[in-house]
Amino acid sequence: TRQALVAKIGENIQVRRVSSRGGSGTTVGAYVHMNRIGVLVEVEGGNEQLCTDIAMHVAAMNPPYAVPEEVPQDVLENEKRILSEQALE
């Protein structure tokens, strides 16, 4: 329960917004690593095991951004430059 979590971590956490994921054509799976990192993955097609496998890889990679729209332009330009230089080698 929320009260048990508040007692455990010492923070009064209140959930304000919840977004439901998944639909008739999607599958959602989750992976939690050592109760520290949690990942949810939604795919079109596939099954829950596939989602869990993908979520494990995402947790291992620890990406700094969840969706492409979150990547700052300067980071994007730097990555493009690095890839271009590697392609020319």
Side-chain angles (χ1 to χ4, degrees):
T1 67
R2 188 183 74 79
Q3 286 127 350
L5 290 172
V6 169
K8 181 177 180 180
I9 63 174
E11 293 289 333
N12 187 11
I13 298 173
Q14 295 182 0
V15 177
R16 295 178 186 230
R17 291 179 206 100
V18 175
S19 177
S20 177
R21 301 299 304 173
S24 61
T26 63
T27 303
V28 177
Y31 174 73
V32 178
H33 180 73
M34 300 179 71
N35 289 327
R36 292 192 48 153
I37 299 171
V39 178
L40 287 173
V41 173
E42 178 182 27
V43 297
E44 293 181 10
N47 57 32
E48 192 172 342
Q49 183 61 50
L50 174 64
C51 290
T52 301
D53 291 345
I54 293 170
M56 288 170 60
H57 285 281
V58 171
M61 297 301 296
N62 192 21
Y65 311 104
V67 293
E69 295 78 25
E70 291 180 354
V71 181
Q73 190 63 34
D74 61 325
V75 172
L76 191 58
E77 293 298 326
N78 188 46
E79 292 297 322
K80 286 180 182 179
R81 180 188 58 78
I82 291 169
L83 290 172
S84 295
E85 289 173 1
Q86 288 176 349
L88 294 174
E89 292 179 359

